[in-house]
Amino acid sequence: MTRLFGTDGVRGLANKDITADLAIDLGVAAGSLVVAKRLEETGAIPVISPLMLAGGVKAGPLPVGETKFRRPRVIPGEPAKPRAIVGRDTRVSGEFLDHAVAAGLASAGMDVTRVGVIPTPGIAYLTAAQDFELGVVISASHNPMQDNGIKFFARGGYKLADSLEDRIEEMLGQEGLRPIGPGVGTVRSNGDAADRAYVDHLVSSIPDTLHGLRIAVDCANGAASQLGPQTLQEAGADVVVINASPDGRNINDACGSTHPEQLQAVTVASKADFGVAFDGDADRCLAVDAAGNMVDGDQIMGLLALDMQSSGRLAYNTLVITVMSNLGLRLAMEERGISLVTTGVGDRYVLEAMREGGYTLGGEQSGHLINSLHATTGDGILTALQIASSVRKTGDSLAKLAGVVQRLPQILINVAGVDRTRTNSDTVLADAVAQAEARLGSTGRVLLRPSGTEPLVRVMVEAATQEQADDEAGRIAQVVRDRLAL
């Protein structure tokens, strides 16, 4: 059976895969785990089942044959209910999913605060800063508007561990999870206060004003449409804004970090010092220099790593990257004495490595960057501020700062309409990859991986020349189509 949770929550086609019913059930299951843990910690559970303990109080697999909770008794003078915060991006489907998740959480006994449209990292920050037991985001990030998703943050603002996601999935649709009478929770809205707290936090992350900088900003008609420009302006920058008029249907539509062409043109036309592009939920950021040239996540990581190294903020002189990072970043960091830790693709795996090693900077080529001094997850607006601060402090152009990373020729082909589950088991495909790696030798590499959020397989090749990279990637992509066809 396919696991419901992917690398970034539960995601799929809104109103088909991600329905109001599923949102309610996820809210009930997740809320029940939190409530059970709170009651157990306060000694207010007279009788609890093994499943309740497995749901977050004790580690270990779910007991065989256990099917439902025994409803906890509401006792006089019980402590305040655990709290959850729920936010969303600008997709029209997010409106009903937001209400559905909140309903499920409240029916499980949590007090819920709905804050409306806000970047994903805003929910992560508020979950930690305001001591919520659970944060929930309704978003499909950079995916098209017809998709949506539901992801959770635990207390402290960190994404749930796989084991907790599995427990939530096990509990979906089970009876007996909802309390009665005064045991149910409340739902309220408080978007303005949440926005203010998040913006203040972001602005405080940089030491000096951005006065004198002009920055072009592409908000992807998404969650950063208001707060992205507002934050940069409050930090002192002159901001040129595009794609900040969300209508529920235009999120990521030919704009934002996945379609930077408009930003490139506007950056040049407006004579901006540089431009930044967010995705739909603003957990990633890519940049454009004054001449309209793209600056990807690897180059941003490189310039920020050097900035943090010079100020003593790069813990253990180490940068955490993924297997997708360009060889050019690896070479640039090694040349400057910065160590690298490499993880699988996905910002959750980058963060796991950062937490385990105590590192302060990591990220992905796609623009998911995590600065653990200020955030618990990727934050596009924070990244934009850090780029701007580096430009302002050094007086150098973004092109010069990003030039420290000389990217090797690379191509990424997304092969759709295939069975991604057989990517690592097909022997013919494995042989094709091995042959390509032999031809590339030490001057390149091949990376083949199934997407964790979309029904496709990604083929990435780096080589000494673009022609060689294109040729090898094309060959492998064709084998993927032939061997993994549905």
Side-chain angles (χ1 to χ4, degrees):
M1 181 178 176
T2 304
R3 188 173 185 267
L4 180 65
F5 284 86
T7 57
D8 199 20
V10 181
R11 192 177 294 185
L13 188 63
N15 230 19
K16 181 177 182 296
D17 305 313
I18 310 299
T19 64
D21 289 340
L22 176 61
I24 291 173
D25 287 346
L26 284 168
V28 171
S32 296
L33 293 181
V34 175
V35 170
K37 189 174 190 298
R38 166 67 73 86
L39 293 175
E40 193 273 344
E41 289 173 344
T42 58
I45 301 180
V47 180
I48 56 176
S49 74
L51 177 56
M52 184 176 287
L53 292 174
V57 178
K58 288 185 178 179
L62 294 166
V64 176
E66 187 67 55
T67 59
K68 61 184 179 181
F69 285 109
R70 302 175 86 178
R71 185 177 292 119
R73 174 168 56 92
V74 178
I75 62 176
E78 67 173 322
K81 293 180 177 63
R83 300 182 305 136
I85 183 170
V86 180
R88 62 180 177 87
D89 68 21
T90 56
R91 295 163 213 270
V92 64
S93 59
E95 296 180 6
F96 70 78
L97 292 172
D98 175 352
H99 285 81
V101 166
L105 292 167
S107 74
M110 296 194 74
D111 286 339
V112 183
T113 299
R114 297 176 53 249
V115 297
V117 174
I118 189 171
T120 288
I123 291 293
Y125 167 72
L126 292 166
T127 300
Q130 299 186 7
D131 201 29
F132 285 94
E133 278 88 347
L134 191 68
V136 188
V137 179
I138 312 299
S139 175
S141 190
H142 60 283
N143 283 20
M145 67 79 55
Q146 60 265 29
D147 290 346
N148 217 324
I150 301 170
K151 51 188 168 185
F152 297 93
F153 291 94
R155 171 179 270 169
Y158 296 102
K159 291 180 180 178
L160 295 188
D162 290 347
S163 58
L164 285 178
E165 291 179 340
D166 289 341
R167 288 167 182 162
I168 291 172
E169 186 170 347
E170 287 280 351
M171 293 167 60
L172 287 179
Q174 291 192 12
E175 298 178 2
L177 302 183
R178 298 176 176 88
I180 57 174
V184 301
T186 61
V187 180
R188 69 188 185 102
S189 298
N190 194 15
D192 291 343
D195 290 351
R196 184 69 264 162
Y198 179 49
V199 170
D200 287 346
H201 160 68
L202 291 171
V203 173
S204 70
S205 72
I206 58 174
D208 301 307
T209 179
L210 302 182
H211 180 72
L213 288 182
R214 171 173 287 181
I215 305 172
V217 183
D218 185 342
C219 299
N221 291 312
S225 292
Q226 175 185 335
L227 299 188
Q230 177 184 340
T231 302
L232 290 166
Q233 288 169 341
E234 291 192 17
D238 175 20
V239 180
V240 179
V241 184
I242 60 174
N243 297 313
S245 300
D247 62 9
R249 295 166 176 79
N250 59 0
I251 186 172
N252 298 320
D253 186 10
C255 60
S257 61
T258 53
H259 299 280
E261 298 82 10
Q262 186 180 353
L263 176 65
Q264 291 174 290
V266 168
T267 300
V268 174
S270 66
K271 297 183 179 179
D273 292 283
F274 63 93
V276 292
F278 307 126
D279 64 335
D281 69 337
D283 64 354
R284 68 170 69 181
C285 171
L286 295 180
V288 173
D289 68 23
N293 300 306
M294 287 302 304
V295 178
D296 70 7
D298 284 341
Q299 293 168 303
I300 295 172
M301 278 192 285
L303 72 91
L304 293 185
L306 293 180
D307 187 347
M308 294 176 70
Q309 181 190 47
S310 68
S311 59
R313 293 174 295 139
L314 188 66
Y316 304 105
N317 210 33
T318 297
L319 173 66
V320 180
I321 63 176
T322 76
V323 293
M324 290 292 287
S325 280
N326 192 276
L327 284 173
L329 173 62
R330 300 167 186 269
L331 296 173
M333 295 297 96
E334 290 170 3
E335 182 180 339
R336 289 157 179 82
I338 293 177
S339 301
L340 298 173
V341 171
T342 303
T343 76
V345 176
D347 64 329
R348 67 184 303 162
Y349 304 118
V350 172
L351 180 59
E352 285 175 6
M354 292 176 66
R355 295 182 70 185
E356 288 173 4
Y359 307 124
T360 49
L361 184 66
E364 300 184 275
Q365 187 184 68
S366 61
H368 280 111
L369 269 71
I370 303 171
N371 181 329
S372 65
L373 296 175
H374 305 289
T376 59
T377 190
D379 190 324
I381 303 175
L382 175 65
T383 298
L385 285 167
Q386 299 299 314
I387 295 170
S389 180
S390 185
V391 170
R392 182 75 166 76
K393 178 172 58 179
T394 63
D396 292 329
S397 67
L398 178 58
K400 181 176 180 180
L401 293 175
V404 66
V405 177
Q406 297 296 317
R407 299 180 72 256
L408 273 67
Q410 182 187 81
I411 182 173
L412 175 65
I413 300 176
N414 293 322
V415 185
V418 295
D419 181 2
R420 61 180 177 173
T421 64
R422 294 190 286 118
T423 303
N424 299 318
S425 61
D426 188 274
T427 57
V428 174
L429 179 56
D431 185 58
V433 171
Q435 292 180 33
E437 290 176 331
R439 289 189 291 269
L440 291 170
S442 61
T443 63
R445 65 186 182 119
V446 177
L447 181 64
L448 185 71
R449 72 175 190 89
S451 170
T453 58
E454 300 174 80
L456 50 83
V457 172
R458 306 188 194 280
V459 179
M460 191 275 284
V461 176
E462 290 173 346
T465 67
Q466 191 65 55
E467 181 181 7
Q468 186 180 21
D470 293 348
D471 181 58
E472 296 294 352
R475 292 185 190 182
I476 296 173
Q478 189 56 55
V479 177
V480 171
R481 294 187 190 96
D482 293 342
R483 298 293 302 178
L484 306 186
L486 293 172

